[in-house]
Amino acid sequence: MDHKQRLIKEALTQRLNAYAPYSGFKVGAALLTSKGEIYTGANVENSSYGLTVCAERIAIFKAVTEGETEFMAIGIAGSGEGYTFPCGACLQVIAEFAKDINIIVVDDSNNIVEYALKDMLPQAFSLQK
Ligand code: THU
C-alpha cells in the first residue's frame, strides 16, 4: 500500500474516534512522518464550543509531543458530501512544521484529491522574515 492509501485508510479509521456530539461532524486525520510513522487525530468537541480542537491539530500535537517534527503528508477524512479541507487555523499549524507538505483529502465516495500546503496557504504567518 502506498503512503497515500495508508493515510486515507488511517484517517477513515480514526474518524470513528471523533468526539463530535455537538456538530455531528466527524473528522479523522493521519500524519506521515519522515521516518514513515503515522500519527492520527480526530476532532474533540466541548460543550464550551470554542474549546473544540480539530483532527489535524490533534494529529500534529500528538506527533510533536512524541518528538516528531518532520512531516511528509497528511490525510483527512471528513463527514458529509464533498471534501473536508483543513481550516485556516490548522493550515497555519501545519505550516509551522512542514511548509512543503501535501494535503490529501478523501470524500465519502472514496474520491481523493491532493493539494500542496503552499497552494492552500501561500503566505503563512512566520516570525522569521
Ligand atoms: N473540524 C476539523 O476537525 N477539522 C477541520 O479542518 C475543520 C473542522 C471539526 C471541528 C468541529 O468539531 C467540526 O469539524 C465542525 O466544525
Side-chain angles (χ1 to χ4, degrees), residues 19-20 23 25 27 43-45 52-56 84-87 90:
Y19 176 76
S23 72
F25 195 92
V27 184
N43 52 328
V44 180
E45 298 187 344
T52 293
V53 183
C54 294
E56 298 89 327
T84 296
F85 294 107
C87 74
C90 287

Side-chain angles (χ1 to χ4, degrees), residues 19-47:
Y19 176 76
Y22 306 106
S23 72
F25 195 92
K26 296 186 169 195
V27 184
L31 182 66
L32 180 69
T33 71
S34 57
K35 292 180 188 159
E37 288 164 354
I38 289 180
Y39 287 82
T40 57
N43 52 328
V44 180
E45 298 187 344
N46 192 276
S47 56

Side-chain angles (χ1 to χ4, degrees), residues 1-15 27-41 55 59-60 63 70-78 101-107 110-115:
M1 198 184 289
D2 67 10
H3 83 258
K4 205 187 286 193
Q5 290 302 326
R6 272 176 76 204
L7 288 175
I8 290 303
K9 188 169 170 276
E10 293 285 343
L12 286 166
T13 302
Q14 185 63 16
R15 186 175 64 178
V27 184
L31 182 66
L32 180 69
T33 71
S34 57
K35 292 180 188 159
E37 288 164 354
I38 289 180
Y39 287 82
T40 57
I60 298 253
E70 284 182 24
F71 308 126
M72 313 302 288
I74 185 166
I76 300 160
I101 199 171
N102 274 7
I103 293 168
I104 301 159
V105 182
V106 62
D107 71 7
N110 269 317
N111 299 305
I112 295 168
V113 287
E114 183 166 0
Y115 288 92

